[in-house]
Amino acid sequence: MMLLRRAASAAALLATVLPLTIAPPAHAAADGAAGCRPPALVPLDAEQSRLADPRTTALVERGGLGDFVRRFPAALCTARNRAEAERLLDTWGQALWQASVRRAQSQRPDGDLASGDDRPLYWARLAMTAALAGWQPDFPADKAALRVRFEDASRGLTDNAFRTASGVRRIFISGFDPFGLDAELRRANPSGSAALQLNGRRITLADGTRAEIRAVVLPVRYADFDAGMVERAFAPHLAAGPAAADIITTVSQGYPGIFTLEDWAGRARSADPYPDNARALSGGTRERPVTAPGLGPGPEFIRTTLPAAAVTAAVQTPYPVLLNSDVTEIPAGGTVPVDRTDGPTPGSRAVAGGGGGYLSNEVAYRSNRLRAELAPHLPGGHLHTPVLTGLPADPRQLTGPEFERNESAITAEVRAVLEHAAVRR
């Protein structure tokens, strides 16, 4: 498993409002209208620069989200002050998220891509943040703060509460954006697809009880993690109250051909030289791991509290589901990293958890560190999906039958895992 983890991580990282709205909010304005000067020509960030590839526009259009991108610049021009700008970014972000959820669940038929495809949301959001960067309002605007609001809203962090229902279990999960896009721009992320397809769904658990799933989709960017996005996403569902979850799990894309429940999450970043979507590095390597900025106090390793034995005994098709107890540590008193297949030893320094030393490991550590602090009785952990394969060999073809079948199969098995993991014990 350890060798598989390294090979898969390297390949994946290099290779890797209006709640019922089905259209953009109705803010009518023309470019250059009062309150807005013509868009500025500003440098795009590393992630936005990939929008120059016309396939990104095709993914948005074929996903039925083109109107969001086209109408957003004019909508920005309707904001007359900071408060209106904040409300507008919240509204448009929530509308984009809800439209994408409805599309993923076949409630919005626009476009000819498979409904579960997570790529239209990713590229539409990115195009809209590029428009925000060029926006020139006639009042002082903190565009960095406004982007945070838009990112949170368009990822499900706001206006995405559990419905009130007696006896219904509450499951909160996170997925990720596509990554590894410099090697293959067409990549999707099955964890993001699963989050969109399962958000708001009522499911029947293995014991016959009912549960509701709520989900968010997180960026593959170190800076957003440093700024506390994981904690903003999970804290409301770990504090006592109507938003509280009964179980949490983070989900990301992992290894070829298998699901893994990660036994241990490590505190360190150690994935360099593999960059994030913004082409940023963490500063941590296998030989010199670093602790991520903004982490609260916690142990070097945190163990899953998900019912791994029950899940692996019940769910094995079409992909095997395995418990992965691999870690990499620097033993107490030592200086050299050591790979282990049976978990960490006392007093060791974390180098990598079962999910490596990248953001999939970090989302598990951050969310479960918070869970241990706020709701230690809750089950929580991390699930790695298989790598999503099946893209056509022709780079001009954005999808294909095998790709779509595999994406659907992975989501179905994520749901099956949750149906067994969330049973009250």
Side-chain angles (χ1 to χ4, degrees):
M1 181 75 76
M2 184 67 68
L3 291 176
L4 175 62
R5 186 188 78 196
R6 283 194 190 165
S9 295
L13 291 169
L14 281 174
T16 57
V17 67
L18 305 176
L20 298 180
T21 305
I22 61 171
H27 294 92
D31 290 333
C36 190
R37 298 188 298 278
L41 294 177
V42 296
L44 299 180
D45 65 31
E47 192 170 19
Q48 293 164 342
S49 69
R50 300 187 185 99
L51 293 165
D53 191 308
R55 291 175 296 176
T56 66
T57 300
L59 285 165
V60 173
E61 294 294 338
R62 294 182 60 184
L65 299 179
D67 279 349
F68 279 89
V69 176
R70 281 187 292 273
R71 291 173 54 184
F72 186 58
L76 287 171
C77 291
T78 67
R80 295 168 295 182
N81 53 52
R82 184 182 66 181
E84 288 188 4
E86 290 175 347
R87 288 194 295 271
L88 185 142
L89 270 295
D90 290 345
T91 298
W92 275 76
Q94 290 164 10
L96 179 62
W97 169 256
Q98 295 296 346
S100 300
V101 167
R102 289 168 64 83
R103 183 185 182 281
Q105 298 177 13
S106 301
Q107 300 172 33
R108 177 190 169 113
D110 295 351
D112 65 351
L113 289 180
S115 60
D117 200 316
D118 64 309
R119 296 172 296 175
L121 170 60
Y122 173 74
W123 292 111
R125 181 195 300 114
L126 205 57
M128 293 166 77
T129 65
L132 176 62
W135 173 49
Q136 295 195 91
D138 287 336
F139 57 89
D142 184 344
K143 287 193 281 188
L146 290 171
R147 178 169 176 173
V148 170
R149 296 182 76 102
F150 177 73
E151 292 268 357
D152 281 7
S154 65
R155 294 180 177 280
L157 273 69
T158 64
D159 194 33
N160 192 23
F162 290 102
R163 290 168 284 178
T164 302
S166 176
V168 177
R169 299 274 283 167
R170 296 175 171 185
I171 305 169
F172 187 71
I173 68 172
S174 67
F176 270 112
D177 284 345
F179 66 104
L181 299 167
D182 285 333
E184 173 54 86
L185 190 79
R186 298 174 296 165
R187 279 206 176 96
N189 193 320
S191 69
S193 175
L196 290 170
Q197 292 185 66
L198 296 175
N199 183 64
R201 292 280 197 188
R202 288 278 177 87
I203 63 173
T204 301
L205 303 182
D207 64 353
T209 58
R210 297 286 286 167
E212 180 181 337
I213 302 169
R214 288 288 164 175
V216 295
V217 176
L218 299 172
V220 184
R221 296 189 298 247
Y222 287 114
D224 295 77
F225 276 50
D226 295 348
M229 180 177 277
V230 175
E231 289 78 5
R232 291 201 305 277
F234 280 86
H237 302 289
L238 293 170
D246 297 302
I247 178 174
I248 65 165
T249 186
T250 51
V251 187
S252 66
Q253 181 175 234
Y255 316 114
I258 59 171
F259 276 85
T260 54
L261 285 167
E262 302 304 336
D263 204 2
W264 298 92
R267 188 172 174 83
R269 290 176 175 173
S270 58
D272 292 356
Y274 306 119
D276 67 7
N277 274 353
R279 302 193 183 107
L281 297 174
S282 72
T285 66
R286 175 179 166 85
E287 290 71 28
R288 294 182 179 275
V290 298
T291 299
L295 275 182
E300 288 295 303
F301 291 95
I302 297 177
R303 193 168 199 176
T304 186
T305 54
L306 294 175
V311 170
T312 56
V315 185
Q316 289 294 323
T317 57
Y319 302 97
V321 182
L322 309 177
L323 177 65
N324 178 21
S325 297
D326 291 353
V327 299
T328 303
E329 65 175 16
I330 298 175
T335 58
V336 178
V338 175
D339 296 331
R340 300 186 60 87
T341 60
D342 56 353
T345 56
S348 66
R349 166 81 161 94
V351 176
Y358 194 53
L359 291 170
S360 58
N361 168 79
E362 188 171 323
V363 73
Y365 186 91
R366 283 182 179 270
S367 59
N368 283 282
R369 190 210 67 79
L370 198 63
R371 176 191 56 77
E373 177 183 314
L374 299 179
H377 59 286
L378 255 62
H382 186 79
L383 175 68
H384 262 126
T385 76
V387 173
L388 178 57
T389 59
L391 281 170
D394 184 347
R396 296 169 298 180
Q397 296 184 33
L398 301 180
T399 189
E402 181 185 357
F403 175 79
E404 293 171 6
R405 285 195 301 270
N406 291 344
E407 190 169 54
S408 294
I410 290 172
T411 290
E413 196 160 341
V414 170
R415 175 172 174 162
V417 167
L418 296 176
E419 287 170 354
H420 287 82
V423 170
R424 190 184 301 274
R425 290 174 171 83

